[in-house]
Amino acid sequence: MAYDPNNIFARILRGELPARKIYEDEYALAFHDIHPLAPVHALVIPKGAYVSFDDFAATARAAEITGFFRAVAKTAELLGLGPTGYRILANHGPDSHQEVPHLHIHVFGGGPLGPMLTRLS
Ligand code: 5GP
């Protein structure tokens, strides 16, 4: 799948759309999800143009991968989630219901999160 430079997160990265920023460095931007699914629900996105985790893992430079994952951990730290715990999740492709075609890691926390997934019938 080709990268769409007009996806919502690309527009947030370019400052064309607002976001409640949590953290930013040369590799990543973290901000609050607009429709939170937990008491704390953050999104961390790489600054590079990657459609999803698949694309990122296959084509990003090692420094980008390291920098991105450090930014995910930094975001959780800044949100104070380390001591009580948190969950990270990335959707890739149609079965996962990925909505926005720019890699993003969800960071959930701020209270008990329940089971990892609802059992599928
Ligand atoms: P996905 O289903 O692609 O893994 O998750 C996309 C996430 O992006 C959803 O949780 C959704 O609420 C969030 N989202 C969609 N549009 C916006 C937006 O304009 N701003 C912010 N902050 N989050 C958004």
Side-chain angles (χ1 to χ4, degrees):
M1 181 185 184
Y3 184 79
D4 169 11
N6 289 318
N7 75 74
I8 290 168
F9 293 167
R11 297 186 65 199
I12 287 175
L13 274 174
R14 291 196 295 269
E16 295 168 6
L17 293 174
R20 287 173 56 215
K21 187 161 86 175
I22 301 161
Y23 177 69
E24 181 170 15
D25 63 22
E26 68 180 291
Y27 298 110
L29 174 68
F31 49 93
H32 291 278
D33 196 291
I34 203 166
H35 295 127
L37 297 173
V40 176
H41 183 176
L43 298 168
V44 190
I45 65 176
K47 289 211 165 162
Y50 300 102
V51 174
S52 71
F53 180 75
D54 227 32
D55 181 20
F56 184 69
T59 63
R61 288 178 295 113
E64 288 178 279
I65 294 172
T66 305
F68 178 63
F69 278 97
R70 291 226 162 102
V72 174
K74 183 72 182 173
T75 299
E77 179 195 330
L78 290 171
L79 291 167
L81 300 178
T84 47
Y86 59 91
R87 178 176 295 155
I88 62 174
L89 178 149
N91 290 316
H92 162 73
D95 278 357
S96 75
H97 293 274
Q98 180 182 0
E99 287 173 12
V100 181
H102 181 114
L103 170 62
H104 46 286
I105 300 262
H106 297 258
V107 181
F108 301 105
L113 296 171
M116 189 165 62
L117 285 175
T118 302
R119 188 171 296 281
L120 302 172
S121 54

